[in-house]
Amino acid sequence: MQHKIWAWGLLGGLAIILLMTMTSSAQYSKKTVVAHRGASAYAPEHTAAAYKLAIEMGADFVEQDLAVTKDGVLICLHDASLERTTNVEQLFPDRGINISLDGRNTKHWVANDFTIAEIKTLDAGSWFDKKFASEKILTFDDAVAIVKGKAGMFPELKTPEIYEGRNVDFEKLVADALDKHGLRGPKADPKTPIILQTFGQSSARQLAQIKIGVPVVLLLNDDEGFKTAAQLKAWKGIVQGFGPAKNIIWSNPNFVKWAHAEGMSVTPYTFRASDTAKAGFKDVSDEMAHYLYKFDVDALFTDNPDKFPRK
């Protein structure tokens, strides 16, 4: 009898381990919509207005691009610098520096040169529409307060290379933030699944090395180094999926089959109603449907989460 109990216990333990393994690698249980920077077609990106609207529109996940302030606070900001989406040039005219971003050496107001107190004084909405003048840059804590329990969160470790030599341990900051809010580990909130993403291959490897404990998606802006099944397979165990620019899949639909063969997800970006005409589709819902149901991608990033074609 003791042998039977031991055997059943062993089998039960193996089943639990298998279930945990399956759960950790299967980011999506259905075709999934990620609100790109929130509902960014309708409200200024990465603001409370954009995140709340994305949730109202039924987004499965809300994306956060993460940057780090001078005093080590995670904020939600797409660019490494502040001038495109705030009035930083007006409030802090002498704080711009010449730095190479996006391959061009020009003056930028780098977020990492400002404290969170300074950043919270900025208007993060007027650039989009004057009616959003009260919107502020959100901290990651702010974003969690808005999204947790209502949708998943899809933070990106944005421009990790900019912190080289700046005494910033980006990956540890993110890990600590997930722990602070109970977003990873056995007691993680099941209503708020977390997927991390990054273009930085070294950052993705670092996340794997520290056993971050949540799925990681490697973003790709081109297919250099990802043109064969073997090249995708080489990332198995390091990341759990890929986030390719949508033209990569358009040019090579086998990309999806190769990833799926290794149990890895595919989440292309970015689907916008404003781009539909040049993409050759009748509307953005039609374009998204083509990728979801013809190319069989698992999820996608869109500025228009209300247009997601669910079946």
Side-chain angles (χ1 to χ4, degrees):
M1 183 67 178
Q2 287 181 334
H3 291 297
K4 289 183 178 179
I5 293 172
W6 179 87
W8 278 110
L10 178 61
L11 289 171
L14 290 172
I16 291 171
I17 292 171
L18 178 60
L19 180 61
M20 289 174 66
T21 303
M22 290 172 63
T23 303
S24 65
S25 62
Q27 298 105 292
Y28 311 117
S29 60
K30 60 180 181 179
K31 298 295 187 184
T32 295
V33 56
V34 184
H36 182 242
R37 313 180 199 177
S40 56
Y42 312 105
E45 61 189 56
H46 294 311
T47 61
Y51 288 178
K52 290 175 181 178
L53 185 56
I55 293 166
E56 289 174 17
M57 290 178 168
D60 299 306
F61 284 80
V62 179
E63 183 198 34
Q64 300 79 43
D65 291 311
L66 299 181
V68 184
T69 67
K70 186 177 182 178
D71 45 350
V73 177
L74 290 173
I75 58 173
C76 302
L77 184 72
H78 176 267
D79 301 356
S81 60
L82 296 157
E83 65 273 6
R84 180 176 65 86
T85 57
T86 77
N87 60 338
V88 68
E89 293 181 70
Q90 287 73 47
L91 293 185
F92 300 97
D94 301 324
R95 297 279 292 278
I97 62 171
N98 285 319
I99 188 172
S100 181
L101 294 177
D102 301 320
R104 294 179 296 173
N105 193 301
T106 54
K107 184 173 283 190
H108 295 280
W109 281 253
V110 177
N112 190 239
D113 291 337
F114 292 80
T115 66
I116 187 59
E118 291 171 329
I119 284 172
K120 280 294 188 180
T121 66
L122 302 176
D123 169 0
S126 290
W127 69 274
F128 188 88
D129 190 298
K130 293 294 184 186
K131 68 182 180 181
F132 293 109
S134 63
E135 295 294 331
K136 300 295 182 181
I137 288 178
L138 302 177
T139 65
F140 184 63
D141 291 347
D142 294 333
V144 172
I146 294 168
V147 180
K148 188 176 182 180
K150 303 179 183 73
M153 301 183 73
F154 214 122
E156 178 182 347
L157 283 72
K158 196 76 183 180
T159 327
E161 62 276 7
I162 200 171
Y163 302 110
E164 293 176 9
R166 286 178 172 256
N167 196 30
V168 173
D169 189 339
F170 204 173
E171 293 78 16
K172 186 177 186 303
L173 283 172
V174 172
D176 289 347
L178 297 182
D179 288 338
K180 174 182 177 180
H181 294 289
L183 294 173
R184 68 170 182 164
K187 296 183 179 179
D189 180 4
K191 294 182 180 179
T192 315
I194 298 291
I195 302 173
L196 298 180
Q197 53 173 325
T198 182
F199 280 100
Q201 295 188 11
S202 62
S203 186
R205 294 183 187 280
Q206 177 66 11
L207 290 169
Q209 187 175 342
I210 67 174
K211 296 179 172 59
I212 192 65
V214 297
V216 176
V217 165
L218 181 64
L219 300 168
L220 306 172
N221 56 21
D222 60 53
D223 64 352
E224 190 61 39
F226 296 87
K227 295 180 178 179
T228 68
Q231 288 175 321
L232 269 64
K233 185 176 182 178
W235 282 90
K236 188 174 183 178
I238 302 170
V239 298
Q240 287 66 53
F242 298 102
K246 60 188 178 183
N247 65 289
I248 294 174
I249 294 171
W250 185 265
S251 300
N252 178 20
N254 283 327
F255 186 103
V256 181
K257 296 176 183 177
W258 296 339
H260 285 172
E262 303 303 331
M264 302 168 84
S265 66
V266 181
T267 309
Y269 68 91
T270 301
F271 295 81
R272 299 181 171 102
S274 57
D275 292 344
T276 302
K278 57 186 176 185
F281 293 92
K282 67 179 182 180
D283 55 36
V284 71
S285 295
D286 187 39
E287 183 185 15
M288 288 192 278
H290 189 88
Y291 279 79
L292 290 164
Y293 306 114
K294 299 294 184 184
F295 291 148
D296 197 29
V297 303
D298 303 284
L300 47 78
F301 294 92
T302 179
D303 294 358
N304 305 89
D306 57 325
K307 304 297 184 183
F308 188 73
R310 295 190 188 276
K311 285 189 177 180

